[in-house]
Amino acid sequence: MEQPIAVTRQSFDDWMIPVYAPADFILVRGEGSQVWDQQGKSYIDFAGGIAVNALGHAHPQVLAALVEQAGKLWHLGNGYTNEPVLRLAKQLIDATFADKVFFCNSGAEANEAALKLARKYALDSGNREKNHIVAFNNAFHGRTLFTVSAGGQPKYSQDFAPLPGGITHTPFNDLAAAAQVINDRTCAVIVEPIQGEGGVVTAQPQFLQGLRELCDRHGALLIFDEVQTGVGRTGSLYAYMNYGVVPDVLTTAKALGGGFPIGAMITTDKLAKTLGVGTHGTTYGGNPLAAAVAGVVFSLINTPEVLDGVKQRLEWFIAGLTEINLQYPIFSEIRGAGLLIGCALNPEYAGRAKQITQLANEEGVIALIAGPDVVRFTPSLIIPEQDVKEGLARFARAVARICS
Ligand SMILES: *Cc1c(COP(=O)(O)O)cnc(C)c1O
């Protein structure tokens, strides 16, 4: 065999379309909540691939499922169904409000499907005017043209106009403002129970309850984007379960595959009928390899031990972060739910979240940002206590450098 091509961080700048600005090292291996770079330096992983690697890296049972399915059948295309995808559908149905599932490959695609479903459902009801979508400022729903348009961060959409129309944004957690724009022409309201990319901002229960009532009153679909909050992230299987508010459509991706690309839109029987044969689809959706991995990830996470463990781990994080903040008062608020944790910076440190994560990398810990003013942690749901402690000790050293 030929030697593999030699690659360094510089290769990224040489060969990749520059939509990302990755860290200046290259990770090559992971195990549990630790990863190692090309030079063999170790890092504690508090990012989990952006809320994706919910069981850490190289989980033995997930790996076994991947290898087993890899030896059987990788892909068929949707002219033929397969066993892993049917089993995964049943797992999702049994565990949630839903009766039917559509599989795709990412969060954006799941939201794209949800918004298309809402438009068509309203059209099929006979009301040609009923095509307005209500979404929220600072929301993030993905990077396709429809989903950046539904997202509430114009910087992600404005350069790609003309954008799909009929989408109105109002302030998150402002029920009165939402009530002003939700009417009989609204076909859907799309909302994240916790805005992840938007800064780890939790929806107030009255807000989601109020949206549910407004949707019911006006015959609009309530879509919960649980791409980031789903599959155990908040300590419940899905965040809607914390609120007692049941959506009509829910989208899930990120942690669903534990690192293997997969997404899903789940809904009720009644709404599922809208998307008849040929109305929507995607080549890889429900691919047996992805579904086999997701099936094992889902069943490992959907247990009282793992879900209760998430709440336990949040306490470790809060205790450690609070201690850091007592010594170096850098955070104005530590917020979120379960292992979706946002640390908002004091005004004095505004705009420096990225710099903090870069220093954290130097100290040997991987962290995320959620906008310029929030440091975000989304580690493995089963991260060991020792790794939490060690990672926070390393993070504390990064904070000390910023504060001195
Ligand atoms: C990450 C994310 C998406 C987009 O998911 P992709 O897999 O990147 O397309 C959509 N919605 C939310 C809430 C997300 O966090």
Side-chain angles (χ1 to χ4, degrees), residues 132-137 149-150 165-170 177 180-182 188 190:
H132 285 200
I133 292 160
V134 173
F136 298 96
N137 295 347
S149 306
I167 305 173
T168 306
H169 294 90
T170 62
Q180 294 273 309
V181 295
I182 297 173
I190 183 167

Side-chain angles (χ1 to χ4, degrees), residues 50 105-111 140-144 147 192 194-197 225-229 251 253-254 262 376:
I50 318 191
N105 313 287
S106 66
E109 266 187 278
N111 286 326
F140 184 78
H141 298 303
R143 299 295 199 119
T144 65
T147 56
E192 297 157 272
I194 301 173
Q195 288 192 334
E197 304 303 306
D225 177 348
E226 293 228 31
V227 170
Q228 189 150 165
T229 54
T251 55
K254 290 203 165 96
I262 185 168
R376 177 174 39 151

Side-chain angles (χ1 to χ4, degrees), residues 24 35 96 109 163 166 168 215 232 304 351 365:
D24 59 6
V35 285
T96 67
E109 266 187 278
L163 303 176
T168 306
C215 284
V365 60

Side-chain angles (χ1 to χ4, degrees), residues 41-43 358-365 390 393-399 401:
K41 177 178 164 185
S42 107
Y43 302 78
Q358 283 162 346
L359 291 173
N361 288 164
E362 288 179 20
E363 298 296 334
V365 60
E390 177 59 27
R394 295 178 188 186
F395 184 71
R397 293 200 279 276
V399 170
R401 285 170 63 189

